[in-house]
Amino acid sequence: MLIKNARLVLENGEEALRDILVLEGKIAEISQEIGIEDAIKKIFKDNTHLVRMDYLDLEGRYLIPGIVDPHVHMRDPGLTHKESATTGSMACAKGGVTTFVDMPNTIPATITEEVLEDKRGIFKNKTYVDYGFHFGAAGDNNSQEIKNVKNIASTKVFLNISTGKMMVENDEILNEIFSESKIVSVHAEEDMVKKAISLSRKNKNELYLCHLSLAEEVEDLKKAKAEGMKIYGEVTPHHLFLNTSHRDENEESKKLLIMKPELKSGDDNECLWEALNNGIIDTVGTDHAPHLLSEKMEKTTFGIPGVEHSLEMMLRGLKEGKMSMKRLIEVMSENPAKIFNIKNKGKIKVGYDADFVELDMDQERIIEREEVVSKCGWSPYEGLKTGGTVLTTIVRGEIVYKNGNFKNKIGREVEFNG
Ligand code: DOR
Ligand code: ZN
Ligand code: ZN
């Protein structure tokens, strides 16, 4: 693949037009000018089996690293009427997410190595983008499984009630789970954030605080960072863009915009933006938690979809002056890949996987229910304007999505570096 005239954000923060050569799914060269003849020679040299070379002229449009979403619930297996590995990955491809990390509250829950192996089989050859898995902590103590399990992002611990029955309450069991985990991701709200921090301090492991939503939680994270703990914070686009006033707009929104943690105040939105910009919060993760409209309307059901519009909404934030493109790339690609040690992901750099998103910043649009490809069939951002549009999504040098069309289910499991 040869990409010409791509607008990149360089390491020094400046923007410049560059050409990129991709060989065997990896970024082979980034320079001011790569000629077509030259690219053809390099691409076909040792690859006589190849019959074509993809050629894209971006004419100055942005090319950013594929988005790495460290927090999604793809519902496969067991809840595939809401979403599946395939439909969830389509939503990812459309939204510019090239790697997602799936949460364990499926049916059965991903709390044994056997279930994880089955899940690997279910996802294999079924997705448009790459993926990895979090392993779940079990209330009846699966710390031996946690000790032995290979190639996972983290141990996910639920410290509050949420979708699925995965809350761990017993302090001794929690302690063992933390002691066997290199990195723990927690669903922790309010005081539970303090509890997670003290467990991590005691066990000297790394802690990833999912979906921070309150100014007070950000304060706890800030203090723990100042202490020197290896601790990271995530924020969802919905906790940045939406608050209780959006939820309370009408009878439908009161039922749809319900999730754990719940939406907070406009002041909390502002505090979260500030923490995201000043480096206290490290990542944006969507907590993509699809449920059907009928399920949302019938009874209180926690969770909203996210992957399909997270990047385009964050571009809205960028257009409103809330963050720079450099910071957006850090929090949506680079940091999630770095924190969870995902091999070769998160940067446009020689040797890294050729995972890219081409953006049209001039094409802003109002998000509509009709466009949604996630199986849940709706979006919490309907009626809001994007800050741009994802034109093309590329995974390891293959176009998986372009102008509304889905191409190849080439997604595979990522590797986590030791
Ligand atoms: O609102 C939520 N929904 N919060 C969670 O923690 C889980 C998620 C789900 O799986 O539906
Ligand atoms: Zn959660
Ligand atoms: Zn979640």
Side-chain angles (χ1 to χ4, degrees):
M1 167 178 276
L2 175 62
I3 302 176
K4 301 280 290 179
N5 303 307
R7 178 173 303 280
L8 301 187
V9 179
L10 304 178
E11 301 237 13
N12 64 12
E14 281 171 26
E15 293 183 3
L17 298 192
R18 291 286 184 266
D19 294 351
I20 300 177
L21 179 71
V22 175
L23 293 178
E24 291 172 20
K26 295 239 181 313
I27 301 169
E29 189 181 334
I30 306 169
S31 51
Q32 295 202 2
E33 172 83 47
I34 303 173
I36 295 186
E37 302 282 310
D38 210 24
I40 289 173
K41 259 189 230 149
K42 285 178 178 153
I43 287 178
F44 293 99
K45 192 176 111 224
D46 299 315
N47 293 293
T48 43
H49 62 285
L50 289 183
V51 289
R52 68 179 172 90
M53 170 183 95
D54 280 315
Y55 175 85
L56 285 87
D57 187 347
L58 267 55
E59 296 170 335
R61 286 184 293 277
Y62 272 114
L63 190 77
I64 65 170
I67 301 308
V68 178
D69 191 333
H71 186 163
V72 307
H73 302 263
M74 290 312 186
R75 310 302 193 201
D76 215 344
L79 296 162
T80 50
H81 65 287
K82 299 174 194 275
E83 193 78 287
S84 69
T86 300
T87 58
S89 79
M90 287 170 77
C92 284
K94 176 171 173 243
V97 176
T98 53
T99 301
F100 64 84
V101 192
D102 190 50
M103 285 295 175
N105 60 336
T106 36
I107 301 176
T110 324
I111 52 176
T112 67
E113 292 185 88
E114 196 186 339
V115 172
L116 176 62
E117 275 316 307
D118 288 348
K119 203 173 197 179
R120 289 190 160 121
I122 288 164
F123 276 59
K124 197 168 183 181
N125 301 325
K126 295 282 182 7
T127 68
Y128 288 87
V129 304
D130 287 351
Y131 54 86
F133 302 105
H134 294 280
F135 195 67
D140 61 0
N141 195 1
N142 60 342
S143 49
Q144 278 313 306
E145 299 263 357
I146 290 170
K147 187 176 182 174
N148 295 330
V149 70
K150 298 270 178 330
N151 208 47
I152 52 132
S154 79
T155 307
K156 173 68 184 287
V157 180
F158 285 87
L159 290 177
N160 299 89
I161 290 181
S162 187
T163 307
K165 295 186 182 71
M166 292 193 67
M167 188 161 68
V168 186
E169 287 179 281
N170 180 299
D171 283 340
E172 266 170 52
I173 293 177
L174 275 173
N175 206 38
E176 274 189 50
I177 285 165
F178 271 67
S179 81
E180 294 300 351
S181 305
K182 186 176 168 285
I183 175 163
V184 168
S185 299
V186 275
H187 177 123
E189 300 180 38
E190 303 182 40
D191 282 352
M192 288 298 140
V193 169
K194 293 182 173 64
K195 180 165 180 162
I197 290 173
S198 75
L199 279 161
S200 180
R201 184 188 292 116
K202 187 170 162 204
N203 288 289
K204 298 189 172 54
N205 62 358
E206 294 179 48
L207 183 64
Y208 182 83
L209 298 170
C210 295
H211 44 47
L212 297 173
S213 65
L214 274 174
E216 174 203 330
E217 297 168 350
V218 171
E219 235 0 80
D220 292 336
L221 168 62
K222 189 175 168 185
K223 280 188 204 140
K225 281 194 166 178
E227 243 180 74
M229 287 179 69
K230 283 192 176 169
I231 182 168
Y232 315 98
E234 171 194 86
V235 65
T236 67
H238 53 274
H239 290 113
L240 290 168
F241 285 98
L242 304 175
N243 53 54
T244 47
S245 72
H246 299 90
R247 184 191 65 202
D248 297 338
E249 238 160 54
N250 57 54
E251 289 313 306
E252 191 190 54
S253 60
K254 276 183 194 161
K255 296 194 161 172
L256 291 184
L257 298 183
I258 296 286
M259 75 295 291
K260 291 265 183 195
E262 303 238 9
L263 294 176
K264 302 293 172 3
S265 69
D267 285 349
D268 290 301
N269 294 150
E270 290 316 310
C271 163
L272 293 166
W273 274 113
E274 194 190 324
L276 186 64
N277 267 316
N278 68 18
I280 300 297
I281 291 180
D282 305 274
T283 67
V284 168
T286 59
D287 198 5
H288 178 75
H291 297 281
L292 299 182
L293 273 171
S294 54
E295 296 171 318
K296 296 286 292 187
M297 300 315 282
E298 270 157 28
K299 63 175 181 104
T300 305
T301 308
F302 298 111
I304 64 172
V307 289
E308 200 164 331
H309 297 115
S310 53
L311 172 57
E312 291 176 341
M313 284 307 296
M314 292 304 287
L315 294 175
R316 171 89 261 143
L318 181 143
K319 288 258 175 91
E320 287 170 356
K322 290 196 149 83
M323 76 187 324
S324 66
M325 187 61 98
K326 182 169 187 289
R327 187 65 185 152
L328 182 149
I329 292 168
E330 279 167 10
V331 298
M332 297 194 84
S333 301
E334 223 177 294
N335 291 351
K338 202 155 65 185
I339 290 166
F340 293 108
N341 292 302
I342 310 176
K343 194 175 173 188
N344 293 334
K345 300 289 190 192
K347 277 189 186 196
I348 298 186
K349 194 173 170 178
V350 171
Y352 276 62
D353 285 354
D355 296 348
F356 308 124
V357 189
E358 178 193 359
L359 299 173
D360 184 346
M361 297 299 286
D362 297 328
Q363 205 178 310
E364 298 181 351
R365 64 168 207 290
I366 306 287
I367 294 172
E368 290 174 5
R369 188 166 292 177
E370 289 65 39
E371 70 170 67
V372 171
V373 301
S374 164
K375 203 164 182 180
C376 71
W378 64 283
S379 165
Y381 305 110
E382 287 165 19
L384 300 185
K385 204 179 201 184
T386 68
T389 292
V390 171
L391 288 185
T392 315
T393 303
I394 297 167
V395 175
R396 287 177 280 102
E398 298 277 345
I399 296 170
V400 295
Y401 171 85
K402 194 173 178 67
N403 301 331
N405 297 307
F406 298 90
K407 308 284 182 187
N408 296 308
K409 277 188 217 135
I410 58 135
R412 69 179 188 211
E413 191 177 354
V414 299
E415 280 177 56
F416 297 95
N417 288 321

